[in-house]
């Protein structure tokens, strides 16, 4: 069963990698080049669901905010 990505939920990089089906090195690269915005909390990255949705479906995010 695939979990729905919720825009206002915070995810770990591991959870994000599982949604996007990418490797750890790719995730690190995406954070480094700011392709996905990640925030450091207590030394660990956290990613808003809306950031994941921007990568998967940018149109859905813009429609949801209007």
């Amino acid at each position: 069963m695939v979990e729905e990505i919720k825009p206002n939920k915070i995810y770990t990089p591991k959870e994000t990698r599982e949604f996007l089906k990418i490797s750890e090195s790719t995730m690190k690269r995406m954070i480094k080049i700011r392709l996905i915005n990640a925030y450091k909390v207590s030394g660990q990255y956290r990613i808003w669901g809306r950031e994941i949705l921007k990568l998967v479906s940018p149109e859905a995010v813009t429609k949801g905010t209007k």
Side-chain angles (χ1 to χ4, degrees):
M1 182 172 90
V2 177
E3 183 184 339
E4 179 183 336
I5 301 170
K6 297 181 176 127
N8 294 323
K9 185 174 177 189
I10 298 174
Y11 297 94
T12 64
K14 183 179 180 198
E15 291 169 325
T16 303
R17 287 193 338 256
E18 290 171 0
F19 283 128
L20 299 175
K21 301 202 181 333
I22 59 175
S23 69
E24 184 175 355
S25 61
T26 300
M27 181 85 251
K28 287 179 182 179
R29 194 173 327 111
M30 290 172 75
I31 291 170
K32 183 177 180 178
I33 65 171
R34 313 266 306 145
L35 186 60
I36 189 166
N37 289 322
Y39 305 92
K40 249 188 179 175
V41 178
S42 298
Q44 298 179 345
Y45 283 109
R46 295 292 181 251
I47 301 162
W48 283 99
R50 68 179 75 90
E51 293 295 326
I52 303 166
L53 290 171
K54 278 187 207 177
L55 290 171
V56 177
S57 179
E59 314 82 46
V61 173
T62 55
K63 286 180 186 175
T65 57
K66 288 184 180 178

